[in-house]
Amino acid sequence: FFHGFFHADPHPGNLLVCPGNVICFLDYGMMGILSSRRRDHLIHLVEGLALRDERRVTAAVLRLSGFNRFENVHDIEADIASFIQDHLYRPLKDIRIGELLNELTRLLFVYNLHMPSDFFLLTKALATLEGVGRVLCPDFDVLAHLEPFVRKLARQRTSFRTLRRDLYSASLDLQALLRDLPAESREILTLLKHGEVRLKFEHRGLENFIRSNDQISNRVVFAIVLASLVIGSSLISQTALPPLWNDMPIIGLAGFCISGLMGFFLLVSIIRHGRM
């Protein structure tokens, strides 16, 4: 959170406790890197977990995943609230990182959320540390130790120095926008002048309507064929067209049988879909 990188393989063989309670990390072959923006998102995530705030956790997860469709936010928030209740109101000895990761993976899969690779590397590192922590102190409460850390991060993020840095960065972005705006506007006008601007429309939510129209069309065609078969069989039945069975043309009888089966299947299909 402070420096933007972390040891991604902190198993007991890579950790030493030196005199004076100094922790020494060994073997930096596997490291994770977090950009400033991702660190901010993770800070929001840690704050939400420490405060058991499902809305804040949901917002942080959406930012981390780059999720830009918000029609299912309430469903995601409800599942994350259930996730917090199931996994985060326990001491460390009762928390199972494997179950937690499986549940998180399920949520990501259900809502098609794609987290950055460093997030999963961080999760792996935390899972390894969980094993070490369980050996050293089975009753260790992670969230109780996170709360003062989160308060320190919050103070740092709202400090004058941080606000001045963010304001300076925003001013640079605005300056670049104002510098490039005339040239890009001229380019857009040139494309409009030469008729090279194309608009792309994407229809959403019409799948059910299209499927319903296809079903209606298929049923209408099916009914027309059925009616034609009944009428044709009736006309043939009035003739003495051989071969005959009890003075009835077999072709006409076969037509009636086929039309009866078709009518039965059409009725079953209508009843199955609940639309009479």
Side-chain angles (χ1 to χ4, degrees):
F1 290 104
F2 290 102
H3 303 290
F5 61 88
F6 59 93
H7 197 298
D9 193 23
H11 62 79
N14 286 338
L15 292 172
L16 292 178
V17 181
C18 299
N21 289 329
V22 176
I23 305 297
C24 176
F25 285 87
L26 306 175
D27 187 3
Y28 296 95
M30 187 181 295
M31 297 292 295
I33 299 175
L34 297 172
S35 65
S36 177
R37 183 179 296 274
R38 292 224 175 116
R39 272 183 281 164
D40 288 339
H41 297 336
L42 282 173
I43 289 173
H44 285 288
L45 180 60
V46 171
E47 288 178 345
L49 293 176
L51 300 174
R52 279 93 168 180
D53 187 342
E54 59 269 11
R55 183 169 298 179
R56 190 172 297 188
V57 173
T58 303
V61 169
L62 294 180
R63 293 191 191 102
L64 276 170
S65 64
F67 189 77
N68 56 8
R69 303 184 309 276
F70 296 96
E71 62 269 15
N72 294 328
V73 169
H74 296 297
D75 297 334
I76 300 174
E77 190 174 304
D79 281 346
I80 288 180
S82 177
F83 173 80
I84 291 174
Q85 293 288 337
D86 291 341
H87 296 285
L88 295 178
Y89 283 88
R90 308 176 185 179
L92 184 62
K93 65 177 183 179
D94 297 328
I95 295 177
R96 295 293 180 266
I97 293 296
E99 296 177 3
L100 188 147
L101 295 181
N102 287 334
E103 186 70 13
L104 181 60
T105 302
R106 186 189 69 82
L107 287 177
L108 297 178
F109 177 77
V110 169
Y111 294 106
N112 196 27
L113 299 178
H114 302 284
M115 305 298 284
S117 58
D118 283 327
F119 175 82
F120 294 102
L121 201 59
L122 179 62
T123 302
K124 172 187 174 297
L126 292 176
T128 305
L129 282 176
E130 184 264 349
V132 179
R134 185 175 298 167
V135 172
L136 296 176
C137 182
D139 294 325
F140 179 71
D141 189 349
V142 178
L143 294 180
H145 288 76
L146 275 178
E147 289 177 0
F149 176 69
V150 168
R151 286 196 295 268
K152 182 178 180 180
L153 288 173
R155 287 195 301 268
Q156 184 188 51
R157 282 170 42 225
T158 56
S159 66
F160 176 76
R161 181 179 179 182
T162 302
L163 294 177
R164 184 180 62 183
R165 183 196 63 193
D166 293 342
L167 181 62
Y168 177 72
S169 177
S171 64
L172 291 179
D173 292 339
L174 181 61
Q175 180 185 3
L177 175 64
L178 294 176
R179 184 183 64 245
D180 297 337
L181 186 60
E184 293 183 355
S185 299
R186 190 180 301 111
E187 183 178 354
I188 293 174
L189 291 174
T190 302
L191 291 175
L192 286 172
K193 182 178 179 180
H194 291 86
E196 297 179 2
V197 176
R198 294 179 176 83
L199 297 178
K200 180 181 179 181
F201 293 95
E202 181 179 358
H203 296 286
R204 294 184 178 181
L206 298 179
E207 293 79 8
N208 294 332
F209 177 74
I210 296 173
R211 190 181 304 111
S212 178
N213 279 343
D214 290 340
Q215 290 178 350
I216 293 173
S217 301
N218 292 337
R219 288 178 182 177
V220 169
V221 172
F222 196 87
I224 292 174
V225 173
L226 176 60
S228 303
L229 188 59
V230 171
I231 294 173
S233 300
S234 300
L235 293 175
I236 293 176
S237 299
Q238 300 299 319
T239 67
L241 182 67
L244 302 175
W245 182 75
N246 290 337
D247 297 329
M248 288 285 295
I250 293 178
I251 296 177
L253 291 174
F256 282 127
C257 292
I258 295 174
S259 60
L261 289 174
M262 292 178 63
F264 175 76
F265 284 123
L266 179 60
L267 182 62
V268 168
S269 175
I270 294 175
I271 294 175
R272 180 182 299 173
H273 290 84
R275 294 185 177 90
M276 291 296 293

